[in-house]
Amino acid sequence: MFRTALRNVLAHKARLLMTVLAVMLGVAFVSGTLVFTGTLGNAFRNQSAKSYDDVAVAVTTRANQRDAKDPAVDTATLAKIQGLDGVDTATGRVHGFAGVADPDGKLIGNGWSNTGSNFFPGKDGKDSAYTFVDGKGPDAADRIALDEHTAKKGEYQVGDRVRVATNGPVKEYTLSGVFTTEDGAVNAGGSLVLFETPVAQKLYLRPGQFMDVNVAAAPGASADKLLADVKPLLPKDAEAKTGKELADEQADMIESGLSSLNTILLVFAAIALFVGIFLIANTFTMLVAQRTKELALMRAVGASRRQVKRSVLLEAAVVGLLASAIGFLAGLGLAVGLRSAMGLMGGKIPAGPLVVSPTSVVAAFCVGVLITVLAAWLPARRAAKIPPVAAMNSVHAAATVKSLVVRNSIGGALTLIGAVGIVAGAVSGGSDGRTTIGGGAFLALIGIIVLIPLLSRPVIALARPLMKRLFGVSGKLAAQNAVRNPRRTGATASALAIGLTLVTGISVLGVTLGRSVDRMTTDNIKADYMVSMANGGSLDASALKALEKADGVAAVSPRQDAWPKVGDDHVAVSGVTADALSELFVVKTVSGSIDSITKGELAVSESTAKKNNWKTGDTLPVVFDDDKKGELKVGAVYEDNEFLSSAVLSKDILAPHTPYADIREVWLKMDGGQSAASEKAVVKALGDNPAMSIIDRQGIRDMFGGFVNTALNIMYGLLAMALIIAVLGVVNTLAMSVFERQQEIGMLRAIGLDRRRVKRMIRLEAVVISVFGAVVGIVLGTFLAWAIGQTLKSDIPDYALVIPWGRIGIFLLLSGLVGVLAALWPARSAAKLNMLTAIKTE
């Protein structure tokens, strides 16, 4: 039976090709994901370990420039650490944001990983953390050093003047040296600027103080002993760990971060393989049907049912093994491609070998073989039931009425239970509701797949008159052929239905959320521009003063963050310029007047007022950030606004209590509205600072809604794998259908159906099957999107379901195009059949 299985594989190479391709794509996704994340994790772990090679003990503090209450490591403490037995060197560090401008004045790097730190030379004049490839470290207040990657992007050489922005005004420095480093910020696509230590301390902390200390051990010294000796010297809240502990922690963080990426990619691989199951099952079902006589003869000469079943499963295992081997090699190529793509997109991945773990190899082959054998199990079971007497018949017996009733009953029950679960989840809402919807969606999808053969007849029957009217005999025959074998049509359409369910659901949700975000932005702001730091940090107060004096500015206000204790709890407060608020934001009041903030009163959002049972006119006790106490009167309650915090207060009230204002954004209204001249005036007022982002109303809309579009594009790209497999399924079905109907096609040719009409018949059949699957998927996907949207309504103001009819129309057109493309080869094969040979074919 094993030899028989091998012979059948070799005898049906062309027919099994699509199955091999489907399994190969799924396996490539699985193995590529595991190899890629394994390689990435290994590279980052090695880099992490390397960065702590020379660190015996690392000290970190919470010190920052804005809060003097958090103690730092001062110079005297650093000297004590340096004097401990077993210490070779102790290096003090301060760090913060530093952005470097390229020759065009644009920021080099991505903002959030643009950092600055201090050059801390030892007795030899070198800093062990950096290896200089040109020049030397900064030795004066007007000098800096740059990492090699940033210097190359900015086309800077030693001696050039470089514009560097921190939170304050832009300054020019002379480039003293270029270095290489294992710093994580640089490897994440950012930049690193080294200042002379006193300069860095003034920029990021306070003179004579350090945020962190790295201790290197003398030869033979114990890291654990050094840790015990260092701890008593440290200020309150400072933390000390060995370099090995930090390297292990960072490795765990890398592992955790990559596991999310791993899970997402594997989910889409699972979807692709799930779709592939239908293609594989369809292929083996048709192969079994075509070999009815052969299998019956095997039974007649003594083969048992178990042996016949085993023969078909062995055939599937051989196909799965071959597809897994090819898929694994393709997965290696995919992993290499993903790594290169990340590099091209700006992500700097540490050098390292391609990591092919035993897990990735075993997973690839197990998945490929198991999926193929699992998909072939039902066809193998049917093959085992073929009676010996079938050897005398030309075709295998049709499915019994009982089997169809059982199938449709099971499908109907699953669909009903799934639909009830989806509706119940939509009604209950929240994360629990989404979990219920997920379970219901799975059951409904399985139920629909089981029912698709039953649904195909009435749905396709609706299109039959139109096809006959438009395409004549070819259209009529195509519609009849599409429902001649409902099981086969259903299995082929199921693959497209699954893909379109996911694509439609994601599209409807994405467009709906995008429109909601648009409403939140356009409905809530009047400002022309928003100014913020590229790294998401706080703006320096000097930026606000510069904008207040800028030409053409009609109204300007910061959004200053503060967390005073109001009543019994801390409340997020936006400090604003009181008389400019109404000119910059649309603030809808529920009670009171928003202008009351000009009198020093507090305005509170509706949700916060309800939570604390506050109302207009209440006087509330307040403890400010500097622990000073006072009272504030509630002058207004306003509808929740995306751009304002839980409460709004004049920045003049907050000023005495916040020596360092935490200004997240500055909002501007210009005399001439949005224009090139207005933007130029803002850029000029900020000193052409590359670290500050100036965003207009469209940019604000894109900023808030951009993540939705990005997520949609990623989802479409990943789901393309499932749709490719679905296309292969259509090709496979049509090719094998043409093979089965050689005699019929020969007869049609003999009675006058020319080659052109034969091709049209096959193409139309493919289009009908593809569009039928697409319609099922679109309906189910829209239903799921509605249900999930109901669970999000409470979190999204003015949520309203939006059906993207344009996109749905495109999906239907693409489905029709899929049918046309999938039918090219089968239609050509059918048209080339020799009439006499086809008629004689049995």
Side-chain angles (χ1 to χ4, degrees):
M1 298 306 291
F2 181 70
R3 287 198 302 271
T4 303
L6 287 177
R7 178 185 63 78
N8 286 329
V9 171
L10 295 173
H12 303 111
K13 294 187 291 290
R15 296 183 226 175
L16 291 169
L17 176 62
M18 299 303 170
T19 297
V20 170
L21 285 173
V23 178
M24 181 204 77
L25 288 171
V27 170
F29 216 143
V30 171
S31 58
T33 296
L34 294 175
V35 171
F36 173 65
T37 52
T39 298
L40 219 60
N42 182 68
F44 280 116
R45 278 191 296 272
N46 288 342
Q47 181 197 58
S48 172
K50 188 176 179 181
S51 64
Y52 288 107
D53 270 350
D54 298 326
V55 178
V57 175
V59 177
T60 56
T61 70
R62 299 178 185 177
N64 62 82
Q65 193 176 42
R66 296 177 179 276
D67 193 348
K69 291 186 292 185
D70 291 325
V73 177
D74 57 28
T75 305
T77 302
L78 181 63
K80 291 178 183 177
I81 294 173
Q82 287 174 327
L84 292 172
D85 289 337
V87 171
D88 184 19
T89 59
T91 305
R93 298 288 184 203
V94 289
H95 49 80
F97 172 77
V100 180
D102 66 14
D104 297 324
K106 302 297 183 183
L107 182 69
I108 298 175
N110 48 32
W112 59 268
S113 59
N114 292 112
T115 57
S117 188
N118 63 303
F119 178 70
F120 195 95
K123 295 176 181 177
D124 58 359
K126 296 180 180 180
D127 189 325
S128 59
Y130 312 106
T131 302
F132 280 80
V133 295
D134 191 15
K136 60 180 182 178
D139 54 5
D142 66 339
R143 292 178 176 269
I144 60 163
L146 291 178
D147 68 272
E148 189 175 28
H149 177 71
T150 303
K152 187 176 180 180
K153 286 192 76 172
E155 300 177 4
Y156 291 121
Q157 296 181 348
V158 173
D160 287 350
R161 296 290 285 176
V162 182
R163 297 177 72 246
V164 179
T166 53
N167 286 10
V170 180
K171 293 183 180 179
E172 279 199 355
Y173 299 86
T174 299
L175 183 62
S176 66
V178 176
F179 58 88
T180 60
T181 177
E182 294 296 328
D183 189 277
V186 176
N187 286 311
S191 61
L192 178 60
V193 182
L194 294 182
F195 300 91
E196 189 187 29
T197 293
V199 174
Q201 288 175 325
K202 186 177 179 182
L203 283 172
Y204 301 127
L205 192 58
R206 292 174 289 276
Q209 296 188 332
F210 298 95
M211 296 174 177
D212 308 322
V213 176
N214 291 334
V215 180
S222 165
D224 291 331
K225 184 178 184 304
L226 281 179
L227 179 65
D229 292 341
V230 166
K231 279 185 174 181
L233 303 177
L234 301 180
K236 182 184 176 183
D237 295 331
E239 188 176 20
K241 293 183 179 179
T242 64
K244 185 179 183 307
E245 286 177 325
L246 286 173
D248 290 343
E249 284 181 8
Q250 202 165 72
D252 290 340
M253 288 174 61
I254 292 166
E255 197 75 37
S256 175
L258 290 174
S259 67
S260 300
L261 173 64
N262 204 36
T263 301
I264 292 169
L265 292 175
L266 288 177
V267 165
F268 284 95
I271 292 169
L273 287 167
F274 184 59
V275 172
I277 286 175
F278 296 96
L279 191 158
I280 299 163
N282 211 12
T283 300
F284 278 94
T285 297
M286 289 186 285
L287 285 175
V288 167
Q290 290 170 13
R291 288 159 45 198
T292 297
K293 278 192 172 185
E294 175 191 330
L295 294 170
L297 282 170
M298 290 174 64
R299 290 291 316 282
V301 297
S304 67
R305 287 187 174 186
R306 181 178 295 178
Q307 285 177 312
V308 171
K309 182 178 178 181
R310 192 181 300 158
S311 172
V312 176
L313 291 178
L314 277 171
E315 190 176 335
V318 170
V319 171
L321 193 64
L322 176 64
S324 298
I326 299 171
F328 181 72
L329 294 175
L332 296 180
L334 179 64
V336 172
L338 285 171
R339 184 170 178 171
S340 300
M342 283 189 70
L344 291 173
M345 289 188 293
K348 192 177 178 185
I349 300 171
L354 198 68
V355 177
V356 183
S357 66
T359 303
S360 59
V361 178
V362 172
F365 280 88
C366 284
V367 165
V369 175
L370 286 175
I371 288 292
T372 312
V373 171
L374 178 65
W377 184 80
L378 277 176
R381 189 168 173 268
R382 291 194 197 106
K385 290 182 177 182
I386 295 174
V389 73
M392 295 182 289
N393 298 329
S394 59
V395 293
H396 184 38
T400 64
V401 173
K402 180 182 176 182
S403 69
L404 291 173
V405 170
V406 171
R407 177 188 178 116
N408 294 334
S409 298
I410 293 172
L414 287 173
T415 304
L416 181 60
I417 294 169
V420 169
I422 292 170
V423 173
V427 171
S428 63
S431 58
D432 291 339
R434 288 190 284 276
T435 303
T436 304
I437 290 171
F442 179 75
L443 291 176
L445 191 58
I446 297 297
I448 291 291
I449 289 167
V450 175
L451 283 176
I452 269 186
L454 177 67
L455 294 172
S456 64
R457 288 186 182 276
V459 173
I460 294 175
L462 294 173
R464 190 180 300 166
L466 179 63
M467 293 179 66
K468 183 179 179 181
R469 189 178 301 114
L470 292 176
F471 303 104
V473 175
S474 297
K476 180 181 178 181
L477 290 171
Q480 290 175 343
N481 290 334
V483 293
R484 178 185 293 182
N485 189 332
R487 287 177 185 267
R488 185 168 62 204
T489 299
T492 306
S494 294
L496 276 169
I498 294 167
L500 264 298
T501 295
L502 297 170
V503 169
T504 304
I506 289 168
S507 295
V508 173
L509 268 178
V511 170
T512 299
L513 292 173
R515 295 282 173 85
S516 297
V517 168
D518 279 353
R519 283 193 292 270
M520 283 192 294
T521 54
T522 54
D523 289 357
N524 288 330
I525 59 171
K526 297 178 184 177
D528 294 317
Y529 297 102
M530 180 184 81
V531 177
S532 61
M533 290 296 295
N535 69 332
S538 299
L539 287 159
D540 190 78
S542 61
L544 175 61
K545 291 177 183 177
L547 290 169
E548 287 173 338
K549 298 174 183 177
D551 294 336
V553 173
V556 59
S557 173
R559 186 178 74 82
Q560 178 181 334
D561 284 353
W563 284 86
K565 187 176 181 181
V566 182
D568 298 325
D569 297 309
H570 286 275
V571 175
V573 173
S574 291
V576 298
T577 301
D579 55 3
L581 182 66
S582 297
E583 295 183 60
L584 298 169
F585 300 97
V586 176
V587 186
K588 300 173 184 176
T589 53
V590 176
S591 62
S593 170
I594 198 65
D595 292 334
S596 62
I597 64 171
T598 59
K599 304 173 188 175
E601 296 178 358
L602 182 72
V604 182
S605 68
E606 187 176 13
S607 60
T608 304
K610 286 181 179 178
K611 178 185 174 183
N612 295 282
N613 199 26
W614 294 339
K615 59 184 182 297
T616 304
D618 287 352
T619 300
L620 306 174
V622 179
V623 180
F624 291 98
D625 290 348
D626 61 350
D627 295 331
K628 297 287 179 64
K629 296 180 180 180
E631 289 185 342
L632 288 174
K633 181 181 178 183
V634 178
V637 175
Y638 59 89
E639 292 183 13
D640 288 41
N641 188 304
E642 183 69 22
F643 299 98
L644 298 173
S645 301
S646 300
V648 176
L649 190 64
S650 170
K651 67 181 179 66
D652 296 334
I653 302 295
L654 293 173
H657 308 287
T658 51
Y660 292 99
D662 187 7
I663 302 172
R664 293 292 163 174
E665 300 129 17
V666 175
W667 296 82
L668 304 168
K669 185 79 174 174
M670 307 298 290
D671 288 328
Q674 292 183 39
S675 66
S678 295
E679 188 168 340
K680 188 175 180 180
V682 175
V683 170
K684 183 180 178 181
L686 293 171
D688 198 14
N689 192 323
M692 293 185 186
S693 299
I694 302 164
I695 309 172
D696 60 15
R697 289 171 66 87
Q698 182 60 46
I700 294 166
R701 188 181 293 118
D702 293 342
M703 180 177 68
F704 280 84
F707 74 95
V708 175
N709 294 327
T710 301
L712 271 179
N713 292 332
I714 292 171
M715 295 291 187
Y716 287 153
L718 293 172
L719 288 172
M721 183 73 74
L723 294 177
I724 289 170
I725 293 174
V727 172
L728 294 177
V730 178
V731 175
N732 202 35
T733 297
L734 291 173
M736 301 189 80
S737 177
V738 167
F739 179 83
E740 284 181 351
R741 288 153 41 199
Q742 287 187 61
Q743 192 174 43
E744 175 193 319
I745 293 169
M747 288 295 294
L748 290 170
R749 292 275 287 113
I751 62 175
L753 195 68
D754 59 23
R755 289 184 174 182
R756 182 171 57 84
R757 289 180 180 176
V758 169
K759 285 183 179 179
R760 184 185 296 168
M761 177 184 72
I762 302 298
R763 282 197 294 265
L764 288 173
E765 183 180 344
V767 170
V768 167
I769 294 173
S770 299
V771 172
F772 167 59
V775 168
V776 172
I778 287 168
V779 171
L780 186 55
T782 303
F783 178 48
L784 288 175
W786 165 81
I788 295 171
Q790 293 299 111
T791 68
L792 300 171
K793 283 180 72 173
S794 59
D795 300 322
I796 301 174
D798 302 322
Y799 177 90
L801 186 71
V802 178
I803 307 295
W805 296 110
R807 293 193 189 192
I808 287 175
I810 291 171
F811 294 158
L812 287 172
L813 287 174
L814 288 175
S815 299
L817 180 61
V818 162
V820 172
L821 295 175
L824 289 176
W825 173 47
R828 188 168 177 270
S829 301
K832 288 175 67 177
L833 284 175
N834 182 284
M835 283 182 282
L836 295 177
T837 304
I839 291 170
K840 289 191 297 181
T841 300
E842 190 175 329

